[in-house]
């Protein structure tokens, strides 16, 4: 059993205004502004594991790995006024994946004592200064909380056992505390969760037959399939915001869909979508790995980070800032938590 991580005053006092990513020149955007990357602080004794999503106003979740053997992974929240360190749920490996404007963070912890090589994941939320385990749906024992909307609905995924992983989409509704719902889809199959909107609408894809079919899953009523803009190919939603759905369709690239499942338009230059804000701006990837920002009007695309920085975006704030990870090239290549700002 691992022991809880110890959080020092220096950890809690760390602030967002980190330095510029070493060796990473700012990319000039098509609009004339420059996308300047700045590193987010990681406390002494830890290294970055991953960056999650956030509240759209600059708070973003993350997971850190201790450099000392035997200590657990911990969850953190980068905020405009400093670094919050919820730490490790129940002293065990913990990842945080999202946080809303009320400061409620969600994620999961892993107990290595359960099933050895395939330990179970248990969904949690962090609120009021403490972790709370979220209930498992009947028949499932392996759960992860992936996203939370403004009112507190939590989107997750479940699996029957640790070995089976996580698949079916589930929701812990804010208006029914202590309950959990397995979202109905037309066919059984592996699922990919694309997100939850502030009204509780979920976007997901189901692997059925030769490929993935995308769906809109409203709070009430049947699942609505997303129309494919091409004759063949997977349809996978990756973001939902303000009644817009973004994702990709096979090799045809990225698209927007309406809530009725119809195709809105193609997103020029993007192979896939990483995040979207409520204004309709999108950040995603071009062929070759370049990270692009697409304004709400659809263009022209702006280069946030070139392919050589190995950038992975996870959050697009309402003010247009992009959060994610990138490679710091000096003195040694290491992944860093990064905020890109177009100034």
């Amino acid at each position: 059993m691992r022991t809880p991580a110890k959080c020092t005053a220096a950890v809690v006092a760390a602030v967002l205004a980190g330095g510029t990513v070493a060796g990473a020149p700012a990319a000039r955007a098509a609009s004339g502004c420059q996308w300047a990357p700045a590193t987010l602080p990681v406390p002494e004794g830890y290294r970055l594991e991953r960056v999650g999503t956030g509240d759209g106003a600059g708070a973003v979740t993350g997971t850190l790995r201790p450099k000392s053997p035997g200590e657990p992974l911990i969850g953190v929240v980068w905020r405009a006024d400093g670094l919050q360190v919820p730490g490790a749920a129940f002293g065990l490996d913990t990842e945080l994946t999202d946080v809303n404007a009320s400061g409620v963070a969600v994620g999961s912890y892993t107990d290595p004592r359960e099933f050895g090589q395939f330990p179970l994941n248990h969904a949690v939320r962090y609120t009021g200064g403490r972790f709370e385990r979220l209930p498992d749906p009947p028949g499932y024992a392996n759960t992860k909380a992936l996203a939370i909307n403004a009112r507190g609905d939590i989107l997750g995924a479940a699996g029957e056992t640790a070995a089976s992983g996580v698949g079916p989409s589930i929701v812990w509704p804010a208006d029914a505390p202590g309950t959990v719902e397995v979202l109905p889809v037309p066919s059984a199959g592996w699922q990919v969760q694309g997100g939850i909107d502030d009204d509780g609408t979920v976007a997901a894809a189901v692997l059925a037959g030769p490929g993935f079919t995308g769906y809109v899953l409203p709070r009430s009523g049947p699942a609505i399939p997303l129309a494919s803009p091409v004759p063949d190919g997977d349809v996978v939603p990756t973001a939902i915001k303000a009644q817009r759905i973004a994702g990709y369709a096979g090799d045809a690239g990225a698209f927007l869909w309406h809530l009725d499942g119809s195709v809105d338009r193609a997103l020029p230059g993007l192979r896939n979508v990483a995040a979207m804000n409520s204004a309709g701006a999108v950040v995603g990837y071009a062929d070759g790995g370049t990270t692009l920002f697409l304004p709400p009007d659809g263009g022209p695309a702006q280069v946030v980070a070139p392919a050589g920085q190995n950038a992975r975006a996870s959050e697009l704030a309402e003010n247009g800032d992009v959060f994610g990870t990138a490679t710091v090239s000096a003195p040694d290549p290491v992944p860093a938590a990064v905020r890109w700002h177009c100034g």
Side-chain angles (χ1 to χ4, degrees):
M1 179 176 179
R2 295 178 176 176
T3 57
K6 299 176 177 64
C7 303
T8 66
V11 171
V12 179
V15 294
L16 255 177
T20 301
V21 175
R28 182 167 297 278
S31 63
C33 67
Q34 287 187 328
W35 284 92
T39 56
L40 307 182
V42 172
E44 186 68 27
Y46 289 87
R47 63 180 184 272
L48 179 69
E49 182 76 5
R50 62 184 63 89
V51 174
T53 55
D55 66 355
V60 178
T61 55
T63 303
L64 306 181
R65 178 175 295 277
K67 295 179 181 178
S68 300
E71 295 292 317
L73 274 67
I74 64 170
V76 298
V77 180
W78 288 283
R79 299 183 179 278
D81 59 354
L83 181 66
Q84 180 187 9
V85 185
F90 316 116
L92 299 168
D93 282 344
T94 300
E95 66 170 343
L96 289 182
T97 53
D98 197 13
V99 63
N100 68 7
S102 298
V104 181
V106 298
S108 60
Y109 72 92
T110 303
D111 191 340
R113 299 167 299 183
E114 298 175 315
F115 297 96
Q117 185 181 357
F118 299 104
L120 291 174
N121 302 290
H122 299 299
V124 292
R125 68 173 183 169
Y126 181 83
T127 182
R130 66 187 183 92
F131 283 101
E132 300 173 351
R133 179 173 168 177
L134 297 171
D136 297 337
Y140 296 92
N142 193 42
T143 59
K144 284 191 171 186
L146 305 174
I148 182 169
N149 64 13
R151 70 183 183 187
D153 300 317
I154 300 169
L155 172 66
E160 293 87 351
T161 67
S164 69
V166 288
S169 300
I170 58 178
V171 168
W172 292 272
D175 56 5
T179 67
V180 58
E181 303 170 0
V182 179
L183 301 184
V185 294
S187 58
W190 186 261
Q191 294 182 36
V192 176
Q193 292 75 28
I196 185 167
D197 211 347
D198 283 341
D199 66 354
T201 303
V202 169
V206 180
L207 181 60
F212 281 99
T213 301
Y215 288 97
V216 181
L217 305 175
R219 280 298 301 271
S220 59
I224 302 168
L226 295 177
S228 177
V230 292
D232 296 302
D234 298 331
V235 173
V236 180
T238 56
I240 180 170
K241 198 79 171 180
Q243 301 187 340
R244 298 179 181 90
I245 298 169
Y248 67 90
D251 293 330
F255 291 83
L256 288 179
W257 284 266
H258 300 291
L259 288 186
D260 64 3
S262 62
V263 178
D264 180 352
R265 58 184 172 88
L267 297 173
L270 293 183
R271 172 61 59 190
N272 200 350
V273 172
M276 178 170 57
N277 66 15
S278 63
V282 168
V283 62
Y285 311 107
D287 286 330
T290 300
T291 303
L292 297 178
F293 172 88
L294 205 63
D297 60 8
Q302 304 170 9
V303 177
V304 176
Q309 291 181 14
N310 299 313
R312 301 301 300 172
S314 59
E315 168 75 354
L316 178 57
E318 295 302 310
N319 68 352
D321 284 356
V322 177
F323 293 82
T325 62
T327 298
V328 176
S329 58
D332 296 308
V334 293
V338 176
R339 171 178 58 86
W340 289 273
H341 176 74
C342 190

